Amino acid sequence: ETGVTQTPRHLVMGMTNKKSLKCEQHLGHNAMYWYKQSAKKPLELMFVYNFKEQTENNSVPSRFSPECPNSSHLFLHLHTLQPEDSALYLCASSQDPGGDGANVLTFGAGSRLTVL
Amino acid sequence: GQNIDQPTEMTATEGAIVQINCTYQTSGFNGLFWYQQHAGEAPTFLSYNVLDGLEEKGRFSSFLSRSKGYSYLLLKELQMKDSASYLCAVRDSNYQLIWGAGTKLIIKP
């Protein structure tokens, strides 16, 4: 257990479905992140929230919609996805997204998404 | 563009030493990170280097040369549980993390 919990761990959905991924952190961190991890590719940063405010959106398609109701919870709403969106979606949190210092990321175990 | 290079896969023997290299070209530098990721699990933080030199932490050490854009992760006395992917990441001048694709390390008995 890392202190960052993601549900569900596995999700299979059709291209017309709507589903959501959930992330919860129990570390008292101020920043939360969504990353996409595809096989043999670098981690792709999708969204960053700092104190519940979205501070980054890395040109992510609108079929991915994040929501951060408070500093401990983060959602990724999925709608009309494409097969190429199949990947591992990782949530992470950190104390402070900017500035000096290590600002180590703590990751959840991920949600494995398969789009049929 | 910004780029992090690390080998895709390496194989080593239990009890031996292995060095995983990482080279980078980024817009500025504000630290280099190594993370370990076991299959099906969360990436976990291993080390952080911001100054040149070697940082030792038990069986794991991480080295940085900023002038060469180069780092390595050294694993000693390898154990089967060290079989995992090792991710190198550099924080650039905008404090953005640039990630490598990871090195899958296979440990054989």
Side-chain angles (χ1 to χ4, degrees), chain B residues 25-40:
Chain B
Q25 295 101 32
T26 57
S27 302
F29 178 87
N30 279 299
L32 184 144
F33 299 79
W34 285 96
Y35 283 79
Q36 179 191 58
Q37 185 178 21
H38 286 101

Side-chain angles (χ1 to χ4, degrees), chain B residues 17-53:
Chain B
I17 299 173
V18 71
Q19 178 175 310
I20 303 174
N21 295 326
C22 171
T23 57
Y24 61 90
Q25 295 101 32
T26 57
S27 302
F29 178 87
N30 279 299
L32 184 144
F33 299 79
W34 285 96
Y35 283 79
Q36 179 191 58
Q37 185 178 21
H38 286 101
E41 296 184 15
T44 55
F45 170 74
L46 285 178
S47 67
Y48 169 67
N49 294 69
V50 66
L51 299 176
D52 290 350

Side-chain angles (χ1 to χ4, degrees), chain A residues 33-109:
Chain A
Y33 309 74
W34 280 116
Y35 277 93
K36 178 182 179 181
Q37 186 175 37
S38 303
K40 299 185 179 180
K41 288 186 176 181
L43 288 179
E44 297 176 46
L45 178 64
M46 300 175 73
F47 302 103
V48 181
Y49 279 81
N50 188 24
F51 289 100
K52 302 187 300 177
E53 299 297 321
Q54 187 180 124
T55 56
E56 258 192 77
N57 175 341
N58 275 355
S59 303
V60 180
S62 60
R63 57 186 184 268
F64 294 91
S65 174
E67 179 189 359
C68 188
N70 54 61
S71 294
S72 299
H73 293 85
L74 185 64
F75 296 88
L76 188 63
H77 303 300
L78 315 170
H79 178 49
T80 59
L81 294 191
Q82 304 298 311
E84 59 264 29
D85 297 323
S86 298
L88 182 68
Y89 288 85
L90 291 167
C91 173
S93 68
S94 72
Q95 187 61 42
D96 181 1
D100 295 329
N103 192 42
V104 172
L105 295 177
T106 302
F107 286 89

